[in-house]
Amino acid sequence: FPSHFDTLAKDIIDRLLVVEVEKRLGCGPDGVDEIKRHPWFQGTNWDAILQRQVPGPINPRITAENDTRNFAKYGDMPE
């Protein structure tokens, strides 16, 4: 991990990437609630998220179904 990574971010990523499924975060008897209770998500209002009352951290402007202006441009791709 980069040195600037938050300790809790590292912990949840490590625990989500455990190879043994039965030991992986979210795969125990409590399922996804195990993930939702992780300290990284402390203060998260899951009901507000479910009700779509929480704005996304990035809200790109989209003007059409095929609008790709928010994607990175690569030199090997035609314009």
Side-chain angles (χ1 to χ4, degrees), residues 25-72:
L25 184 66
C27 294
D30 291 339
V32 73
D33 288 333
E34 198 174 38
I35 298 169
K36 290 165 69 173
R37 285 193 304 264
H38 188 277
W40 170 254
F41 290 112
Q42 184 177 13
T44 300
N45 184 336
W46 294 104
D47 291 327
I49 291 172
L50 184 62
Q51 298 298 319
R52 298 179 181 218
Q53 297 169 341
V54 178
I58 299 172
N59 298 291
R61 196 179 73 145
I62 301 170
T63 58
E65 186 176 314
N66 61 347
D67 186 348
T68 60
R69 82 178 91 198
N70 297 296
F71 292 91

Side-chain angles (χ1 to χ4, degrees), residues 1 4-5 7 11 15 19-20 22 29 34 37 39 45 47 49 64 68 72 76:
F1 289 101
H4 67 275
F5 254 53
T7 304
D11 182 67
R15 294 178 64 194
V19 174
E20 295 178 62
E22 53 281 343
E34 198 174 38
R37 285 193 304 264
N45 184 336
D47 291 327
I49 291 172
T68 60
D76 60 343

